[in-house]
Amino acid sequence: LKRSVEKTGQLATVVGWSIGGTYGFQEVVDESELVDTLVTVAGDTRDNIRKSAHPLVGESGRRAMSWDPEAEEMLESIPKATLSNGVNMYTISMSSDGVFLESSFGDPRAKENILVPGKHTTAGWNPYVWEHIGRIQGEKVARLAKVKEEFEKAGEIKILQFPV
């Protein structure tokens, strides 16, 4: 993450699908100065993701994560974590998820909670998911262009975090 931000000169957008959203959330908490946007897809950040999943999925997750003793601690910390003020979070949930219950959709810390048709297992290829990710990135570009314009009007040093 740090290498990408240094190379591009722009703050990152972190997108994570399922447990990837949980790990992405933790990365954003740990490295908030490098990120301005977090998008979680078909996951749960309001509760320990393993506990909010269908019991068979949760048990599989427990077994898969048993090699990492810090994993359970991280899963328990996510619901209580605070995001930096500069980070815009979005959640995209699947209407027929099949892994998570509808009660786990969304997060009160999110700028926007989005529900799209589809299943958990196909979220990565779901055109509705990508439509929203594209919109979110488009809003980011517009926001950064406005900041750049304000700096230029003020005659200050140009700070460009995203090529416009």
Side-chain angles (χ1 to χ4, degrees):
L1 182 63
K2 185 175 183 180
R3 194 173 21 199
S4 295
V5 170
E6 287 173 352
K7 184 177 179 180
T8 63
Q10 64 190 28
L11 294 176
T13 295
V14 174
V15 179
W17 174 14
S18 192
I19 191 77
T22 303
Y23 279 101
F25 188 103
Q26 187 62 52
E27 186 69 18
V28 171
V29 168
D30 292 345
E31 304 286 350
S32 62
E33 70 282 359
L34 302 175
V35 179
D36 68 358
T37 305
L38 167 66
V39 182
T40 65
V41 179
D44 182 11
T45 51
R46 292 186 331 181
D47 197 2
N48 177 324
I49 192 170
R50 215 178 36 69
K51 294 177 181 175
S52 62
H54 183 282
L56 291 176
V57 176
E59 178 57 21
S60 298
R62 186 193 64 72
R63 289 178 187 211
M65 296 177 82
S66 63
W67 59 269
D68 182 359
E70 295 175 3
E72 190 64 30
E73 183 180 320
M74 181 206 56
L75 293 178
E76 288 294 330
S77 73
I78 295 290
K80 303 173 210 140
T82 303
L83 287 172
S84 168
N85 286 339
V87 177
N88 292 307
M89 177 183 178
Y90 300 81
T91 69
I92 302 175
S93 300
M94 314 308 291
S95 63
S96 303
D97 192 284
V99 171
F100 294 102
L101 302 173
E102 191 173 329
S103 60
S104 69
F105 294 174
D107 189 309
R109 297 167 290 192
K111 180 176 181 178
E112 187 177 356
N113 293 298
I114 304 157
L115 182 64
V116 299
K119 297 185 181 297
H120 186 90
T121 55
T122 59
W125 300 273
N126 185 313
Y128 297 107
V129 169
W130 289 104
E131 179 181 342
H132 284 287
I133 291 172
R135 176 185 57 81
I136 291 163
Q137 284 298 93
E139 291 170 0
K140 174 180 177 175
V141 170
R143 191 172 60 248
L144 292 174
K146 186 176 179 181
V147 168
K148 178 182 181 252
E149 185 179 303
E150 289 171 6
F151 273 102
E152 287 175 345
K153 282 181 183 176
E156 296 188 26
I157 299 170
K158 293 181 184 178
I159 297 175
L160 181 61
Q161 293 179 342
F162 196 88
V164 180

